[in-house]
Amino acid sequence: LLLQPLTRVAYAEALEQVNVPFCDELPSRQAQLAALRNTEEFDVLVIGGGATGSGCALDAVTRNLKTALVERSDFSSGTSSRSTKLIHGGVRYLQKAIMKLDYEQYMMVKEALHERANLLEIAPHLSAPLPIMLPVYSWWQLPYYWAGIKMYDLVAGAQCLKSSYVLSKNKALELFPMLKRDKLVGAIVYYDGQHNDARMNLAIALTAARYGAVAANYTEVVHLLKRTDPETGKERVCGARCRDVISGQEFEVRAKCVINATGPFTDSLRKMDNEKSPKICQPSAGVHIVMPGYYSPDNMGLLDPATSDGRVIFFLPWEKMTIAGTTDSPTEITAQPIPTEEDINFILTEVRNYLSPDVEVRRGDVLAAWSGIRPLVTDPSSKDTQSICRNHIVNISESGLVTIAGGKWTTYRAMAQETLDATIKAHHLQAGPCRTVGLMLEGGKGWTPTLYIRLVQDYGLEVEVAQHLAATYGGRAFEVAKMAQVTGQRWPIVGKRLVSEFPYIESEVHYAVKEYACTAIDVLARRTRLGFLNVQAADEALPRIVHIMGKQLGWSEQKKQVESNLGFNTHCHHLQEELNAARTFLYQEMGYKTRSEQLTNTTEISLPLSEVDRYKKRFHKFDKGNKGFITTVDVQQVLESISVQIDENTLHEILNEVDLNKNGQVELNEFLQLMSAVRKGRVSDSRLAILMKTVEETLEERGLVSVDRSGGGV
């Protein structure tokens, strides 16, 4: 569909010359570490397991180069998992190219559109075309935007996904009912690609490993190794001293050349090579938020081309939720970027501007939020070092360290190709041609749009779970299904969910370990995407994930020192440490902190007197003895009186969400603070608020109590 038939034949022939040593079973992480330690010399050592680094490793190994890839955290743990999830050429870059007659910008868009087509082709299970609507609120903008979007189609040429089109006001509202009607004159719909970014990154790294690259996560570079060139007398980089983060063991990895693909951390590695290296990375933070799926139609995104401060905001359906972003503000370089309340509120305000007043955009509906650091770069070899390079740069230092920096997700493959071309030339390596155009990624082979039906029929999985497995693992979904446990129910026959409202199942945790997951965070954030979709659901699934991983990886109940066969002590993984680390990750990096701060001891009670009276009456239905507080026992008694059963642990959880001073009971004041936060939209889906309202209504219907039913609502 997207690659020309002749190109396809040529690449099919080229790939016949590449062996796939690990077609069936991937080597374990331990085997990969042993290969790193024991290989005399690699041709290429790539540092950084994001999209670009993994892309470089795949490009190198398919050119028959002996390749190693190390990543100090998990594959895709940085910016590559925190994107807008779009595979796009960049509509706004094209606008700048036309307005400023900028040829470089135009070529950048053209390259990105070519790469978009290739990415949709090589990982069809993880990516798909997505229609994006651009609402138009004044007549003069219609021809202006239409011309721009048509240019976008034109630049894509034969690789245009689907042709853009114009919609009348009524048709636009039919397709996107949540849209603001007032002053709307029509809309333009164009197509871009969308993908599951962390899984895509992982697919690239796993594909490289299947082709024989030695890839290890949680392996950090301590310092670079150098040797003196006998011909020139100059120092040359010849590998790196690495440390296995999990065991603490250090070892040396020798290589003919080293590629620095560390994204925002580019400069720290450049300074390892040469302390005098100028800084080239200018980090910028982009925050995204996730909201419930009902905020957007199932298969239609929205683009706000001109926000109040000139940024572009996307509002997109993703994994049955809605993702909104992004911001763009200078930031410090950190491995743990944190979304701020200010950024979250900026995005919410922009979203409100575009949605119908009927849709109340509530702060409490932000289910997760995250920040990703864009590694914008300045070119060290250009005279004007202040001007930020809109594209990527490939730079080779005096000692031969190759740095690839900048660029965007969509063009990772082209960046890798350019990097390897430059590396081979500078280091005089014997290598074949680039073979990554049309090279299917992990799971792409054997995937069809109806694969999920076979999963349902062969294994007895729920349809939603089967669709999720097919869209996540592609042709390898059967391996995950085979590991699924029998439920003991009539239906589904296999596949126990980790949490009821998401299609993630327990066997995915088992399979994640085969995919080099080493911590609970790897599973929550990158093997599944639960942490990115709903922090509370992720927190709920966490103990089960830790339990399954602990059994498989031999984590201990207590902290203990283990004597390793290499003669020194190493720390054994500890279940509680894992739980704590994952909770900290959800709390800080996935927006749980800002979410939980919406209801605190200092939350103001701003309710009209009539409502205060109404909520007091509701509270006293549970607080029979006028104690001024309620406990699980009080709630249990009232529930029993209307023949409702909720187990004690669940009740504890429900009350604990509102028990702000954590004294095991909910005081009247805390209840009023909750109701005030609910009224303002700062808190949504409060189980206690909904439970007490439902109980009150049931009691009234039974005629047990007569209550003034004024005001409606919660």
Side-chain angles (χ1 to χ4, degrees), residues 111-112 140 191 300 324 360 365 441 489 597:
E111 177 187 62
W140 68 267
Y191 287 80
M300 179 72 76
E360 188 192 348
D365 285 335
L441 296 182
Q489 298 168 309
E597 282 169 356

Side-chain angles (χ1 to χ4, degrees), residues 135-137 176 178-184 291 295 302-311 313 315 324 345-362:
V136 182
Y137 286 91
F176 210 120
M178 313 82 181
L179 209 54
K180 188 168 77 179
R181 306 176 65 93
D182 197 28
K183 294 184 184 164
L184 184 71
M291 303 174 83
Y295 272 95
L302 186 76
L303 166 63
D304 172 357
T307 61
S308 54
D309 68 351
R311 295 186 271 203
I313 288 265
F315 192 64
N345 284 322
F346 166 78
I347 297 169
L348 287 173
T349 304
E350 294 305 329
V351 166
R352 283 187 193 104
N353 291 341
Y354 267 79
L355 295 190
S356 159
D358 303 347
V359 181
E360 188 192 348
V361 180
R362 305 179 297 182

Side-chain angles (χ1 to χ4, degrees), residues 245-541:
V245 175
I246 289 167
S247 71
Q249 293 167 17
E250 289 193 11
F251 51 90
E252 291 187 349
V253 180
R254 301 262 164 196
K256 288 175 186 156
C257 68
V258 175
I259 295 174
N260 170 12
T262 52
F265 303 96
T266 296
D267 287 327
S268 59
L269 207 77
R270 278 164 54 82
K271 287 196 182 298
M272 258 187 213
D273 171 37
N274 177 0
E275 283 183 14
K276 292 177 185 152
S277 289
K279 281 195 172 182
I280 60 168
C281 185
Q282 303 209 358
S284 160
V287 170
H288 292 84
I289 62 173
V290 170
M291 303 174 83
Y294 55 72
Y295 272 95
S296 64
D298 284 347
N299 196 32
M300 179 72 76
L302 186 76
L303 166 63
D304 172 357
T307 61
S308 54
D309 68 351
R311 295 186 271 203
V312 170
I313 288 265
F314 285 101
F315 192 64
L316 311 162
W318 183 65
E319 300 283 321
K320 302 204 169 148
M321 294 290 174
T322 302
I323 187 171
T326 175
T327 59
D328 189 355
S329 45
T331 183
E332 291 296 309
I333 295 175
T334 167
Q336 285 96 28
I338 295 170
T340 66
E341 188 61 26
E342 190 187 348
D343 284 326
I344 293 168
N345 284 322
F346 166 78
I347 297 169
L348 287 173
T349 304
E350 294 305 329
V351 166
R352 283 187 193 104
N353 291 341
Y354 267 79
L355 295 190
S356 159
D358 303 347
V359 181
E360 188 192 348
V361 180
R362 305 179 297 182
R363 173 62 183 85
D365 285 335
V366 176
L367 305 173
W370 71 85
S371 175
I373 298 177
R374 288 185 205 89
L376 304 174
V377 288
T378 53
D379 190 342
S381 50
S382 87
K383 290 183 181 70
D384 179 11
T385 52
Q386 285 311 300
S387 68
I388 284 184
C389 182
R390 286 154 302 201
N391 215 325
H392 57 272
I393 59 154
V394 177
N395 176 260
I396 301 178
S397 75
E398 278 185 22
S399 62
L401 176 70
V402 182
T403 294
I404 167 72
K408 45 210 276 263
W409 223 121
T410 310
T411 56
Y412 84 90
R413 192 212 62 82
M415 288 158 64
Q417 181 178 347
E418 193 183 315
T419 307
L420 263 295
D421 286 345
T423 304
I424 290 160
K425 192 176 167 189
H427 289 269
H428 313 296
L429 301 174
Q430 295 296 306
C434 174
R435 297 188 174 101
T436 51
V437 174
L439 175 74
M440 297 304 278
L441 296 182
E442 175 86 348
K445 218 173 179 180
W447 177 86
T448 65
T450 54
L451 177 104
Y452 76 94
I453 296 171
R454 276 181 55 206
L455 288 168
V456 175
Q457 292 174 338
D458 293 359
Y459 294 94
L461 287 159
E462 289 173 80
V463 173
E464 190 192 3
V465 170
Q467 286 172 329
H468 151 70
L469 292 182
T472 304
Y473 305 95
R476 299 207 173 260
F478 294 98
E479 294 177 31
V480 185
K482 273 178 200 155
M483 297 165 93
Q485 281 186 318
V486 175
T487 60
Q489 298 168 309
R490 187 185 61 77
W491 191 260
I493 298 166
V494 303
K496 288 172 100 166
R497 291 189 180 215
L498 284 166
V499 58
S500 60
E501 73 264 43
F502 286 92
Y504 300 117
I505 57 173
E506 289 185 358
S507 65
E508 290 183 74
V509 184
H510 291 284
Y511 192 73
V513 175
K514 290 188 168 203
E515 296 182 318
Y516 305 128
C518 299
T519 70
I521 300 170
D522 299 344
V523 174
L524 278 178
R526 294 172 285 273
R527 304 305 180 281
T528 75
R529 303 311 306 273
L530 194 50
F532 278 81
L533 294 169
N534 187 322
V535 280
Q536 274 185 296
D539 191 40
E540 201 178 300

